[in-house]
Amino acid sequence: MISVAIDGPAGAGKSTVARAAAKELGYIYVDTGALYRAVGLYMLQHGISVSDEDAVVKELSTLQVSLEFRGGEQHVLLCGEDVSAQIRTPEVSMAASAVSAMQPVRSFLFDLQKNMAKTNNVIMDGRDIGTVVLPEAQVKIFLTASDEERAGRRYRELLEKGQNASFEEVLNDLRARDYADSHRAAAPLKPAEDSVLVDTTGLSLENSVQKVLQVVRQKLG
């Protein structure tokens, strides 16, 4: 099985680029960030403070998170309910960042991610895929872009979904998440030593996808 690991900060376009690249290659796309978002959503729904690790960990035994693929699209199921749309709000993003810093949460989701790569050719994106989840991946990419470009993408995405947000708020949230993700004790965000840096600042989606596909094809020969 072939594994492509794509890591990078929030708003770098990992999900969009990885999904398109996976479709081009005929691989399964796995958005691991969606799993942490589902855990964060569960805590918000049940009034559990995401700053209280003991309380969060206590809830893990009662929640079920899984991924389904329908027509090549990933759907996130939380206790049997499709929450693919609900997990994309700024509030859930920050909750996801908080719970993803907890080692018990990472351990809880680790096997689910690992098993997908054992049974499928995958493009898996997240924060620690190349460093922790799939260190043996044949291709590792660190996808990034400038803060302003990433915030602009996220801002337009929220507006398209009819959600109220200001650009400044989105930029501040993104920088706060960057800091939290790169400074956490458990699997901090950082490029794998053997990863290829792909900067998509100023690139169209199509050009970003082609840049990633070029790296994958070069690495796989």
Side-chain angles (χ1 to χ4, degrees):
M1 292 295 141
I2 294 171
S3 298
V4 178
I6 300 183
D7 293 307
K14 295 188 302 295
S15 299
T16 311
V17 171
R19 185 185 294 110
K23 187 174 183 181
E24 178 83 18
L25 294 167
Y27 292 6
I28 282 182
Y29 162 61
V30 183
D31 172 10
T32 63
L35 301 173
Y36 291 99
R37 286 172 175 269
V39 174
L41 175 64
Y42 181 93
M43 300 306 160
L44 293 174
Q45 288 176 335
H46 290 80
I48 308 297
S49 170
V50 292
S51 61
D52 185 342
E53 182 167 341
D54 289 340
V56 169
V57 172
K58 191 176 177 182
E59 291 293 317
L60 293 180
S61 61
T62 65
L63 70 87
Q64 293 176 315
V65 185
S66 61
L67 298 177
E68 277 189 4
F69 297 89
R70 303 176 204 150
E73 284 295 311
Q74 174 183 278
H75 291 261
V76 186
L77 303 184
L78 176 60
C79 299
E81 178 190 356
D82 190 334
V83 294
S84 304
Q86 293 167 255
I87 60 175
R88 297 298 169 184
T89 67
E91 186 184 18
V92 172
S93 289
M94 294 309 291
S97 187
V99 299
S100 69
M102 302 173 186
Q103 187 57 53
V105 175
R106 305 197 75 81
S107 299
F108 173 71
L109 295 173
F110 183 81
D111 287 344
L112 174 60
Q113 297 169 64
K114 199 84 175 168
N115 288 337
M116 286 182 180
K118 284 180 182 175
T119 53
N120 303 280
N121 291 331
V122 298
I123 292 188
M124 191 177 290
D125 75 21
R127 301 289 193 281
D128 65 341
I129 309 307
T131 53
V132 176
V133 180
L134 299 177
E136 72 287 353
Q138 291 92 332
V139 185
K140 299 175 190 175
I141 293 170
F142 194 83
L143 194 74
T144 190
S146 70
D147 293 1
E148 290 75 16
E149 175 122 1
R150 291 186 289 124
R153 292 171 184 171
R154 185 59 55 86
Y155 174 63
R156 289 189 293 274
E157 194 178 277
L158 291 171
L159 291 184
E160 285 169 8
K161 292 178 180 175
Q163 296 173 17
N164 291 325
S166 71
F167 175 78
E168 289 74 19
E169 179 186 17
V170 173
L171 180 60
N172 289 336
D173 283 350
L174 181 139
R175 284 174 172 162
R177 180 148 196 206
D178 283 353
Y179 184 86
D181 288 345
S182 58
H183 286 77
R184 67 191 180 206
L189 168 68
K190 62 180 180 180
E193 287 184 8
D194 53 347
S195 66
V196 177
L197 178 69
V198 175
D199 191 326
T200 64
T201 304
L203 295 183
S204 67
L205 171 60
E206 178 59 29
N207 286 340
S208 299
V209 173
Q210 289 307 316
K211 206 167 180 180
V212 164
L213 287 171
Q214 183 181 15
V215 172
V216 172
R217 286 168 176 147
Q218 283 176 346
K219 286 285 185 180
L220 296 179

